[in-house]
Amino acid sequence: SYLTLGLRYDHFSSIGESISPRVGLVHPLTPQQSLKLLYGQAFRAPAENELNLLNNTVILGDENLKPETVQSWELIYLAQHSHTRFSGSYFENHFKDAIQRVLVSGDVFQFSNIDQDPVKGLEFELSWEISDHWLFTSNYTHFLEKPTSSFRESDKLASIAINYQHAYWNANLAGNYIGKRNMSTNGSDDNLIKLAPYWQWYGKVMYKFNRKISGYIQIKNILDKNYQSPPYNANQTEGIPSRSRQIVSGVSWKF
């Protein structure tokens, strides 16, 4: 087994100081398989706008904000063979003095420290080198528990991608999945409606002319999918519409 220890020290003259430990324990099961147990603590000082934002009709700062901290645990199973890599993990994030926007009156919000529920979930990753030229990757995340204030975020996320590379050519096709999400409406976060899940696909082809110049063509939202995203304004009655299909081309010049 292998043990790694780390320690980070932060000091802000107007806010205070924090010591954040990190621990990593790796236990080999076989030459190709291992278990990892990771623990870490992170510290974030309030940003300037979170502290001192004034004269704003939508959101205000709070000069008395405390820094927020998060304690993270993760248990990871890793299997790696000659052409395939798989990992599965369970994770938890626990927050203290989380900085969030809180409704104070009418439509006005203010940054405040709150007691926030933890985030818990599962994550799986697969990478498969099909041949010398083809690579397949995929990822799936399932949140088992998350804060009530994160209703705009999906419980399920996924992605798949396949990449081809040969000589001066590189091409890839990728898809991202966003599960069902909620949005607030009628002026209140207590009135929620659901937005449909969707897949969105991207593609890119790149050619390298020489060591300095390369060109590419990229297509975003290939299927021209009409999906919606949740707004942060509770007064809207429908989600924010997506961009339609986009075609982008360009040249990269290194000098």
Side-chain angles (χ1 to χ4, degrees), residues 136-169:
F136 172 83
T137 59
S138 63
N139 174 278
Y140 175 73
T141 303
H142 187 137
F143 292 99
L144 304 173
E145 185 178 340
K146 63 182 183 179
T148 305
S149 59
S150 299
F151 60 85
R152 295 180 179 88
E153 305 300 327
S154 173
D155 292 339
K156 299 176 182 178
L157 303 171
S159 67
I160 59 174
I162 188 164
N163 189 86
Y164 173 79
Q165 195 280 326
H166 181 68
Y168 301 109
W169 289 95

PDB file of all heavy atoms in Angstrom, residues 136-169:
ATOM      1  N   PHE A 136     -11.854   5.230 -27.782  1.00  0.00           N
ATOM      2  CA  PHE A 136     -13.226   5.434 -27.298  1.00  0.00           C
ATOM      3  C   PHE A 136     -13.182   5.768 -25.811  1.00  0.00           C
ATOM      4  O   PHE A 136     -12.487   5.100 -25.038  1.00  0.00           O
ATOM      5  CB  PHE A 136     -14.060   4.171 -27.521  1.00  0.00           C
ATOM      6  CG  PHE A 136     -15.426   4.221 -26.879  1.00  0.00           C
ATOM      7  CD1 PHE A 136     -16.487   4.847 -27.519  1.00  0.00           C
ATOM      8  CD2 PHE A 136     -15.643   3.644 -25.628  1.00  0.00           C
ATOM      9  CE1 PHE A 136     -17.739   4.899 -26.925  1.00  0.00           C
ATOM     10  CE2 PHE A 136     -16.898   3.687 -25.031  1.00  0.00           C
ATOM     11  CZ  PHE A 136     -17.949   4.321 -25.685  1.00  0.00           C
ATOM     12  N   THR A 137     -13.926   6.788 -25.381  1.00  0.00           N
ATOM     13  CA  THR A 137     -14.004   7.145 -23.975  1.00  0.00           C
ATOM     14  C   THR A 137     -15.466   7.392 -23.590  1.00  0.00           C
ATOM     15  O   THR A 137     -16.277   7.820 -24.418  1.00  0.00           O
ATOM     16  CB  THR A 137     -13.191   8.412 -23.653  1.00  0.00           C
ATOM     17  OG1 THR A 137     -13.670   9.507 -24.439  1.00  0.00           O
ATOM     18  CG2 THR A 137     -11.714   8.190 -23.948  1.00  0.00           C
ATOM     19  N   SER A 138     -15.788   7.115 -22.338  1.00  0.00           N
ATOM     20  CA  SER A 138     -17.140   7.363 -21.852  1.00  0.00           C
ATOM     21  C   SER A 138     -17.100   7.667 -20.361  1.00  0.00           C
ATOM     22  O   SER A 138     -16.163   7.285 -19.650  1.00  0.00           O
ATOM     23  CB  SER A 138     -18.051   6.156 -22.118  1.00  0.00           C
ATOM     24  OG  SER A 138     -17.587   5.026 -21.405  1.00  0.00           O
ATOM     25  N   ASN A 139     -18.147   8.347 -19.898  1.00  0.00           N
ATOM     26  CA  ASN A 139     -18.233   8.757 -18.500  1.00  0.00           C
ATOM     27  C   ASN A 139     -19.692   8.807 -18.080  1.00  0.00           C
ATOM     28  O   ASN A 139     -20.555   9.213 -18.876  1.00  0.00           O
ATOM     29  CB  ASN A 139     -17.563  10.119 -18.309  1.00  0.00           C
ATOM     30  CG  ASN A 139     -17.745  10.678 -16.908  1.00  0.00           C
ATOM     31  OD1 ASN A 139     -18.776  11.269 -16.595  1.00  0.00           O
ATOM     32  ND2 ASN A 139     -16.752  10.497 -16.075  1.00  0.00           N
ATOM     33  N   TYR A 140     -19.979   8.383 -16.841  1.00  0.00           N
ATOM     34  CA  TYR A 140     -21.337   8.465 -16.314  1.00  0.00           C
ATOM     35  C   TYR A 140     -21.279   8.883 -14.851  1.00  0.00           C
ATOM     36  O   TYR A 140     -20.495   8.327 -14.063  1.00  0.00           O
ATOM     37  CB  TYR A 140     -22.054   7.119 -16.432  1.00  0.00           C
ATOM     38  CG  TYR A 140     -23.424   7.109 -15.787  1.00  0.00           C
ATOM     39  CD1 TYR A 140     -24.494   7.780 -16.376  1.00  0.00           C
ATOM     40  CD2 TYR A 140     -23.649   6.446 -14.585  1.00  0.00           C
ATOM     41  CE1 TYR A 140     -25.751   7.783 -15.784  1.00  0.00           C
ATOM     42  CE2 TYR A 140     -24.907   6.436 -13.996  1.00  0.00           C
ATOM     43  CZ  TYR A 140     -25.950   7.115 -14.610  1.00  0.00           C
ATOM     44  OH  TYR A 140     -27.190   7.125 -14.019  1.00  0.00           O
ATOM     45  N   THR A 141     -22.076   9.877 -14.475  1.00  0.00           N
ATOM     46  CA  THR A 141     -22.144  10.366 -13.100  1.00  0.00           C
ATOM     47  C   THR A 141     -23.590  10.350 -12.632  1.00  0.00           C
ATOM     48  O   THR A 141     -24.480  10.820 -13.351  1.00  0.00           O
ATOM     49  CB  THR A 141     -21.590  11.794 -12.984  1.00  0.00           C
ATOM     50  OG1 THR A 141     -20.238  11.823 -13.468  1.00  0.00           O
ATOM     51  CG2 THR A 141     -21.605  12.273 -11.540  1.00  0.00           C
ATOM     52  N   HIS A 142     -23.808   9.804 -11.442  1.00  0.00           N
ATOM     53  CA  HIS A 142     -25.148   9.749 -10.856  1.00  0.00           C
ATOM     54  C   HIS A 142     -25.076  10.328  -9.443  1.00  0.00           C
ATOM     55  O   HIS A 142     -24.407   9.783  -8.574  1.00  0.00           O
ATOM     56  CB  HIS A 142     -25.651   8.306 -10.797  1.00  0.00           C
ATOM     57  CG  HIS A 142     -27.074   8.192 -10.353  1.00  0.00           C
ATOM     58  ND1 HIS A 142     -27.970   7.348 -10.967  1.00  0.00           N
ATOM     59  CD2 HIS A 142     -27.786   8.817  -9.385  1.00  0.00           C
ATOM     60  CE1 HIS A 142     -29.150   7.452 -10.385  1.00  0.00           C
ATOM     61  NE2 HIS A 142     -29.052   8.338  -9.404  1.00  0.00           N
ATOM     62  N   PHE A 143     -25.774  11.451  -9.226  1.00  0.00           N
ATOM     63  CA  PHE A 143     -25.807  12.065  -7.906  1.00  0.00           C
ATOM     64  C   PHE A 143     -26.909  11.405  -7.079  1.00  0.00           C
ATOM     65  O   PHE A 143     -28.088  11.464  -7.430  1.00  0.00           O
ATOM     66  CB  PHE A 143     -26.052  13.571  -8.020  1.00  0.00           C
ATOM     67  CG  PHE A 143     -24.903  14.321  -8.633  1.00  0.00           C
ATOM     68  CD1 PHE A 143     -24.924  14.675  -9.979  1.00  0.00           C
ATOM     69  CD2 PHE A 143     -23.795  14.645  -7.876  1.00  0.00           C
ATOM     70  CE1 PHE A 143     -23.864  15.353 -10.545  1.00  0.00           C
ATOM     71  CE2 PHE A 143     -22.718  15.325  -8.435  1.00  0.00           C
ATOM     72  CZ  PHE A 143     -22.754  15.683  -9.779  1.00  0.00           C
ATOM     73  N   LEU A 144     -26.513  10.781  -5.969  1.00  0.00           N
ATOM     74  CA  LEU A 144     -27.457  10.136  -5.079  1.00  0.00           C
ATOM     75  C   LEU A 144     -28.099  11.142  -4.125  1.00  0.00           C
ATOM     76  O   LEU A 144     -29.229  10.954  -3.671  1.00  0.00           O
ATOM     77  CB  LEU A 144     -26.753   9.047  -4.271  1.00  0.00           C
ATOM     78  CG  LEU A 144     -26.034   7.969  -5.095  1.00  0.00           C
ATOM     79  CD1 LEU A 144     -25.233   7.053  -4.180  1.00  0.00           C
ATOM     80  CD2 LEU A 144     -27.037   7.170  -5.918  1.00  0.00           C
ATOM     81  N   GLU A 145     -27.365  12.196  -3.837  1.00  0.00           N
ATOM     82  CA  GLU A 145     -27.850  13.236  -2.927  1.00  0.00           C
ATOM     83  C   GLU A 145     -27.171  14.545  -3.296  1.00  0.00           C
ATOM     84  O   GLU A 145     -25.985  14.566  -3.635  1.00  0.00           O
ATOM     85  CB  GLU A 145     -27.532  12.858  -1.481  1.00  0.00           C
ATOM     86  CG  GLU A 145     -28.091  13.801  -0.430  1.00  0.00           C
ATOM     87  CD  GLU A 145     -27.792  13.337   0.991  1.00  0.00           C
ATOM     88  OE1 GLU A 145     -27.504  12.143   1.163  1.00  0.00           O
ATOM     89  OE2 GLU A 145     -27.834  14.187   1.913  1.00  0.00           O
ATOM     90  N   LYS A 146     -27.906  15.630  -3.229  1.00  0.00           N
ATOM     91  CA  LYS A 146     -27.346  16.938  -3.526  1.00  0.00           C
ATOM     92  C   LYS A 146     -28.147  17.996  -2.781  1.00  0.00           C
ATOM     93  O   LYS A 146     -29.275  17.745  -2.337  1.00  0.00           O
ATOM     94  CB  LYS A 146     -27.350  17.209  -5.036  1.00  0.00           C
ATOM     95  CG  LYS A 146     -28.729  17.251  -5.666  1.00  0.00           C
ATOM     96  CD  LYS A 146     -28.644  17.484  -7.163  1.00  0.00           C
ATOM     97  CE  LYS A 146     -30.051  17.593  -7.750  1.00  0.00           C
ATOM     98  NZ  LYS A 146     -30.035  17.832  -9.202  1.00  0.00           N
ATOM     99  N   PRO A 147     -27.604  19.215  -2.632  1.00  0.00           N
ATOM    100  CA  PRO A 147     -28.313  20.277  -1.910  1.00  0.00           C
ATOM    101  C   PRO A 147     -29.629  20.646  -2.582  1.00  0.00           C
ATOM    102  O   PRO A 147     -29.763  20.582  -3.805  1.00  0.00           O
ATOM    103  CB  PRO A 147     -27.320  21.446  -1.947  1.00  0.00           C
ATOM    104  CG  PRO A 147     -25.990  20.810  -2.154  1.00  0.00           C
ATOM    105  CD  PRO A 147     -26.242  19.617  -3.010  1.00  0.00           C
ATOM    106  N   THR A 148     -30.594  21.052  -1.761  1.00  0.00           N
ATOM    107  CA  THR A 148     -31.893  21.486  -2.291  1.00  0.00           C
ATOM    108  C   THR A 148     -31.729  22.653  -3.249  1.00  0.00           C
ATOM    109  O   THR A 148     -32.448  22.758  -4.250  1.00  0.00           O
ATOM    110  CB  THR A 148     -32.819  21.885  -1.128  1.00  0.00           C
ATOM    111  OG1 THR A 148     -32.915  20.796  -0.215  1.00  0.00           O
ATOM    112  CG2 THR A 148     -34.204  22.239  -1.636  1.00  0.00           C
ATOM    113  N   SER A 149     -30.762  23.527  -2.964  1.00  0.00           N
ATOM    114  CA  SER A 149     -30.551  24.706  -3.808  1.00  0.00           C
ATOM    115  C   SER A 149     -30.008  24.355  -5.183  1.00  0.00           C
ATOM    116  O   SER A 149     -29.966  25.206  -6.071  1.00  0.00           O
ATOM    117  CB  SER A 149     -29.596  25.678  -3.112  1.00  0.00           C
ATOM    118  OG  SER A 149     -28.349  25.046  -2.845  1.00  0.00           O
ATOM    119  N   SER A 150     -29.598  23.091  -5.394  1.00  0.00           N
ATOM    120  CA  SER A 150     -29.034  22.671  -6.683  1.00  0.00           C
ATOM    121  C   SER A 150     -30.077  22.014  -7.575  1.00  0.00           C
ATOM    122  O   SER A 150     -29.752  21.157  -8.395  1.00  0.00           O
ATOM    123  CB  SER A 150     -27.863  21.706  -6.456  1.00  0.00           C
ATOM    124  OG  SER A 150     -26.832  22.305  -5.728  1.00  0.00           O
ATOM    125  N   PHE A 151     -31.339  22.422  -7.430  1.00  0.00           N
ATOM    126  CA  PHE A 151     -32.411  21.804  -8.216  1.00  0.00           C
ATOM    127  C   PHE A 151     -32.243  22.058  -9.711  1.00  0.00           C
ATOM    128  O   PHE A 151     -32.820  21.363 -10.533  1.00  0.00           O
ATOM    129  CB  PHE A 151     -33.789  22.310  -7.750  1.00  0.00           C
ATOM    130  CG  PHE A 151     -33.990  23.796  -7.869  1.00  0.00           C
ATOM    131  CD1 PHE A 151     -34.407  24.360  -9.069  1.00  0.00           C
ATOM    132  CD2 PHE A 151     -33.792  24.629  -6.779  1.00  0.00           C
ATOM    133  CE1 PHE A 151     -34.605  25.728  -9.196  1.00  0.00           C
ATOM    134  CE2 PHE A 151     -33.996  26.000  -6.884  1.00  0.00           C
ATOM    135  CZ  PHE A 151     -34.398  26.554  -8.098  1.00  0.00           C
ATOM    136  N   ARG A 152     -31.463  23.078 -10.075  1.00  0.00           N
ATOM    137  CA  ARG A 152     -31.234  23.359 -11.503  1.00  0.00           C
ATOM    138  C   ARG A 152     -30.246  22.387 -12.133  1.00  0.00           C
ATOM    139  O   ARG A 152     -30.092  22.370 -13.351  1.00  0.00           O
ATOM    140  CB  ARG A 152     -30.736  24.793 -11.681  1.00  0.00           C
ATOM    141  CG  ARG A 152     -31.735  25.866 -11.279  1.00  0.00           C
ATOM    142  CD  ARG A 152     -31.156  27.261 -11.480  1.00  0.00           C
ATOM    143  NE  ARG A 152     -32.114  28.291 -11.121  1.00  0.00           N
ATOM    144  CZ  ARG A 152     -32.263  28.789  -9.889  1.00  0.00           C
ATOM    145  NH1 ARG A 152     -31.503  28.318  -8.907  1.00  0.00           N
ATOM    146  NH2 ARG A 152     -33.154  29.741  -9.648  1.00  0.00           N
ATOM    147  N   GLU A 153     -29.558  21.613 -11.307  1.00  0.00           N
ATOM    148  CA  GLU A 153     -28.561  20.668 -11.808  1.00  0.00           C
ATOM    149  C   GLU A 153     -29.173  19.277 -11.935  1.00  0.00           C
ATOM    150  O   GLU A 153     -29.992  18.870 -11.120  1.00  0.00           O
ATOM    151  CB  GLU A 153     -27.355  20.625 -10.869  1.00  0.00           C
ATOM    152  CG  GLU A 153     -26.716  21.969 -10.613  1.00  0.00           C
ATOM    153  CD  GLU A 153     -26.204  22.624 -11.879  1.00  0.00           C
ATOM    154  OE1 GLU A 153     -25.763  21.871 -12.786  1.00  0.00           O
ATOM    155  OE2 GLU A 153     -26.234  23.859 -11.963  1.00  0.00           O
ATOM    156  N   SER A 154     -28.748  18.541 -12.946  1.00  0.00           N
ATOM    157  CA  SER A 154     -29.277  17.210 -13.196  1.00  0.00           C
ATOM    158  C   SER A 154     -28.668  16.175 -12.240  1.00  0.00           C
ATOM    159  O   SER A 154     -27.526  16.327 -11.794  1.00  0.00           O
ATOM    160  CB  SER A 154     -28.984  16.797 -14.635  1.00  0.00           C
ATOM    161  OG  SER A 154     -29.347  15.462 -14.862  1.00  0.00           O
ATOM    162  N   ASP A 155     -29.449  15.128 -11.951  1.00  0.00           N
ATOM    163  CA  ASP A 155     -28.947  14.014 -11.143  1.00  0.00           C
ATOM    164  C   ASP A 155     -28.083  13.067 -11.968  1.00  0.00           C
ATOM    165  O   ASP A 155     -27.330  12.281 -11.399  1.00  0.00           O
ATOM    166  CB  ASP A 155     -30.113  13.215 -10.548  1.00  0.00           C
ATOM    167  CG  ASP A 155     -30.882  14.006  -9.504  1.00  0.00           C
ATOM    168  OD1 ASP A 155     -30.315  14.962  -8.958  1.00  0.00           O
ATOM    169  OD2 ASP A 155     -32.056  13.674  -9.257  1.00  0.00           O
ATOM    170  N   LYS A 156     -28.223  13.114 -13.304  1.00  0.00           N
ATOM    171  CA  LYS A 156     -27.521  12.168 -14.166  1.00  0.00           C
ATOM    172  C   LYS A 156     -26.807  12.914 -15.296  1.00  0.00           C
ATOM    173  O   LYS A 156     -27.409  13.722 -15.994  1.00  0.00           O
ATOM    174  CB  LYS A 156     -28.502  11.148 -14.753  1.00  0.00           C
ATOM    175  CG  LYS A 156     -29.222  10.313 -13.700  1.00  0.00           C
ATOM    176  CD  LYS A 156     -30.255   9.395 -14.327  1.00  0.00           C
ATOM    177  CE  LYS A 156     -31.015   8.602 -13.271  1.00  0.00           C
ATOM    178  NZ  LYS A 156     -32.052   7.740 -13.858  1.00  0.00           N
ATOM    179  N   LEU A 157     -25.525  12.604 -15.446  1.00  0.00           N
ATOM    180  CA  LEU A 157     -24.712  13.186 -16.506  1.00  0.00           C
ATOM    181  C   LEU A 157     -23.938  12.061 -17.196  1.00  0.00           C
ATOM    182  O   LEU A 157     -23.534  11.090 -16.551  1.00  0.00           O
ATOM    183  CB  LEU A 157     -23.710  14.205 -15.940  1.00  0.00           C
ATOM    184  CG  LEU A 157     -24.276  15.366 -15.126  1.00  0.00           C
ATOM    185  CD1 LEU A 157     -23.140  16.130 -14.460  1.00  0.00           C
ATOM    186  CD2 LEU A 157     -25.096  16.290 -16.005  1.00  0.00           C
ATOM    187  N   ALA A 158     -23.745  12.191 -18.497  1.00  0.00           N
ATOM    188  CA  ALA A 158     -22.992  11.167 -19.226  1.00  0.00           C
ATOM    189  C   ALA A 158     -22.318  11.792 -20.439  1.00  0.00           C
ATOM    190  O   ALA A 158     -22.743  12.850 -20.929  1.00  0.00           O
ATOM    191  CB  ALA A 158     -23.917  10.025 -19.661  1.00  0.00           C
ATOM    192  N   SER A 159     -21.295  11.146 -20.908  1.00  0.00           N
ATOM    193  CA  SER A 159     -20.628  11.584 -22.137  1.00  0.00           C
ATOM    194  C   SER A 159     -19.981  10.383 -22.807  1.00  0.00           C
ATOM    195  O   SER A 159     -19.542   9.438 -22.136  1.00  0.00           O
ATOM    196  CB  SER A 159     -19.569  12.653 -21.847  1.00  0.00           C
ATOM    197  OG  SER A 159     -18.491  12.103 -21.105  1.00  0.00           O
ATOM    198  N   ILE A 160     -19.940  10.408 -24.124  1.00  0.00           N
ATOM    199  CA  ILE A 160     -19.210   9.412 -24.905  1.00  0.00           C
ATOM    200  C   ILE A 160     -18.485  10.130 -26.025  1.00  0.00           C
ATOM    201  O   ILE A 160     -18.937  11.180 -26.511  1.00  0.00           O
ATOM    202  CB  ILE A 160     -20.131   8.311 -25.483  1.00  0.00           C
ATOM    203  CG1 ILE A 160     -21.216   8.926 -26.381  1.00  0.00           C
ATOM    204  CG2 ILE A 160     -20.750   7.483 -24.384  1.00  0.00           C
ATOM    205  CD1 ILE A 160     -22.055   7.871 -27.074  1.00  0.00           C
ATOM    206  N   ALA A 161     -17.344   9.584 -26.420  1.00  0.00           N
ATOM    207  CA  ALA A 161     -16.573  10.211 -27.493  1.00  0.00           C
ATOM    208  C   ALA A 161     -15.744   9.154 -28.189  1.00  0.00           C
ATOM    209  O   ALA A 161     -15.272   8.189 -27.563  1.00  0.00           O
ATOM    210  CB  ALA A 161     -15.674  11.316 -26.948  1.00  0.00           C
ATOM    211  N   ILE A 162     -15.566   9.335 -29.485  1.00  0.00           N
ATOM    212  CA  ILE A 162     -14.678   8.466 -30.257  1.00  0.00           C
ATOM    213  C   ILE A 162     -13.767   9.364 -31.080  1.00  0.00           C
ATOM    214  O   ILE A 162     -14.216  10.352 -31.681  1.00  0.00           O
ATOM    215  CB  ILE A 162     -15.466   7.484 -31.147  1.00  0.00           C
ATOM    216  CG1 ILE A 162     -14.500   6.479 -31.776  1.00  0.00           C
ATOM    217  CG2 ILE A 162     -16.318   8.186 -32.194  1.00  0.00           C
ATOM    218  CD1 ILE A 162     -15.178   5.255 -32.361  1.00  0.00           C
ATOM    219  N   ASN A 163     -12.477   9.046 -31.062  1.00  0.00           N
ATOM    220  CA  ASN A 163     -11.482   9.886 -31.722  1.00  0.00           C
ATOM    221  C   ASN A 163     -10.660   9.051 -32.707  1.00  0.00           C
ATOM    222  O   ASN A 163     -10.258   7.924 -32.403  1.00  0.00           O
ATOM    223  CB  ASN A 163     -10.558  10.522 -30.684  1.00  0.00           C
ATOM    224  CG  ASN A 163      -9.646  11.576 -31.288  1.00  0.00           C
ATOM    225  OD1 ASN A 163     -10.026  12.738 -31.404  1.00  0.00           O
ATOM    226  ND2 ASN A 163      -8.432  11.195 -31.660  1.00  0.00           N
ATOM    227  N   TYR A 164     -10.431   9.627 -33.888  1.00  0.00           N
ATOM    228  CA  TYR A 164      -9.607   8.984 -34.916  1.00  0.00           C
ATOM    229  C   TYR A 164      -8.417   9.877 -35.215  1.00  0.00           C
ATOM    230  O   TYR A 164      -8.571  11.093 -35.441  1.00  0.00           O
ATOM    231  CB  TYR A 164     -10.416   8.758 -36.185  1.00  0.00           C
ATOM    232  CG  TYR A 164      -9.592   8.255 -37.344  1.00  0.00           C
ATOM    233  CD1 TYR A 164      -9.228   6.905 -37.429  1.00  0.00           C
ATOM    234  CD2 TYR A 164      -9.160   9.119 -38.343  1.00  0.00           C
ATOM    235  CE1 TYR A 164      -8.465   6.434 -38.476  1.00  0.00           C
ATOM    236  CE2 TYR A 164      -8.390   8.659 -39.405  1.00  0.00           C
ATOM    237  CZ  TYR A 164      -8.041   7.313 -39.470  1.00  0.00           C
ATOM    238  OH  TYR A 164      -7.276   6.854 -40.513  1.00  0.00           O
ATOM    239  N   GLN A 165      -7.219   9.295 -35.207  1.00  0.00           N
ATOM    240  CA  GLN A 165      -6.015  10.057 -35.513  1.00  0.00           C
ATOM    241  C   GLN A 165      -5.115   9.233 -36.419  1.00  0.00           C
ATOM    242  O   GLN A 165      -4.825   8.060 -36.143  1.00  0.00           O
ATOM    243  CB  GLN A 165      -5.275  10.414 -34.207  1.00  0.00           C
ATOM    244  CG  GLN A 165      -4.213  11.504 -34.345  1.00  0.00           C
ATOM    245  CD  GLN A 165      -2.906  10.981 -34.906  1.00  0.00           C
ATOM    246  OE1 GLN A 165      -2.524   9.848 -34.631  1.00  0.00           O
ATOM    247  NE2 GLN A 165      -2.222  11.791 -35.701  1.00  0.00           N
ATOM    248  N   HIS A 166      -4.714   9.835 -37.523  1.00  0.00           N
ATOM    249  CA  HIS A 166      -3.817   9.162 -38.457  1.00  0.00           C
ATOM    250  C   HIS A 166      -3.052  10.220 -39.232  1.00  0.00           C
ATOM    251  O   HIS A 166      -3.639  11.132 -39.829  1.00  0.00           O
ATOM    252  CB  HIS A 166      -4.591   8.260 -39.427  1.00  0.00           C
ATOM    253  CG  HIS A 166      -3.711   7.534 -40.392  1.00  0.00           C
ATOM    254  ND1 HIS A 166      -2.838   6.540 -40.010  1.00  0.00           N
ATOM    255  CD2 HIS A 166      -3.563   7.673 -41.743  1.00  0.00           C
ATOM    256  CE1 HIS A 166      -2.199   6.092 -41.061  1.00  0.00           C
ATOM    257  NE2 HIS A 166      -2.618   6.759 -42.143  1.00  0.00           N
ATOM    258  N   ALA A 167      -1.719  10.083 -39.202  1.00  0.00           N
ATOM    259  CA  ALA A 167      -0.847  11.018 -39.913  1.00  0.00           C
ATOM    260  C   ALA A 167      -1.195  12.458 -39.532  1.00  0.00           C
ATOM    261  O   ALA A 167      -1.107  12.832 -38.370  1.00  0.00           O
ATOM    262  CB  ALA A 167      -0.950  10.788 -41.420  1.00  0.00           C
ATOM    263  N   TYR A 168      -1.643  13.268 -40.504  1.00  0.00           N
ATOM    264  CA  TYR A 168      -1.929  14.678 -40.236  1.00  0.00           C
ATOM    265  C   TYR A 168      -3.397  14.936 -39.940  1.00  0.00           C
ATOM    266  O   TYR A 168      -3.809  16.095 -39.800  1.00  0.00           O
ATOM    267  CB  TYR A 168      -1.478  15.525 -41.431  1.00  0.00           C
ATOM    268  CG  TYR A 168       0.001  15.385 -41.737  1.00  0.00           C
ATOM    269  CD1 TYR A 168       0.430  14.705 -42.873  1.00  0.00           C
ATOM    270  CD2 TYR A 168       0.962  15.922 -40.884  1.00  0.00           C
ATOM    271  CE1 TYR A 168       1.779  14.558 -43.149  1.00  0.00           C
ATOM    272  CE2 TYR A 168       2.312  15.784 -41.158  1.00  0.00           C
ATOM    273  CZ  TYR A 168       2.720  15.099 -42.289  1.00  0.00           C
ATOM    274  OH  TYR A 168       4.050  14.963 -42.549  1.00  0.00           O
ATOM    275  N   TRP A 169      -4.206  13.880 -39.858  1.00  0.00           N
ATOM    276  CA  TRP A 169      -5.644  14.038 -39.645  1.00  0.00           C
ATOM    277  C   TRP A 169      -6.033  13.681 -38.207  1.00  0.00           C
ATOM    278  O   TRP A 169      -5.500  12.751 -37.615  1.00  0.00           O
ATOM    279  CB  TRP A 169      -6.439  13.139 -40.603  1.00  0.00           C
ATOM    280  CG  TRP A 169      -6.404  13.579 -42.025  1.00  0.00           C
ATOM    281  CD1 TRP A 169      -5.552  13.141 -42.995  1.00  0.00           C
ATOM    282  CD2 TRP A 169      -7.252  14.532 -42.644  1.00  0.00           C
ATOM    283  NE1 TRP A 169      -5.813  13.759 -44.182  1.00  0.00           N
ATOM    284  CE2 TRP A 169      -6.861  14.631 -44.001  1.00  0.00           C
ATOM    285  CE3 TRP A 169      -8.308  15.324 -42.196  1.00  0.00           C
ATOM    286  CZ2 TRP A 169      -7.479  15.475 -44.905  1.00  0.00           C
ATOM    287  CZ3 TRP A 169      -8.940  16.167 -43.098  1.00  0.00           C
ATOM    288  CH2 TRP A 169      -8.526  16.241 -44.433  1.00  0.00           C
TER     289      TRP A 169
END
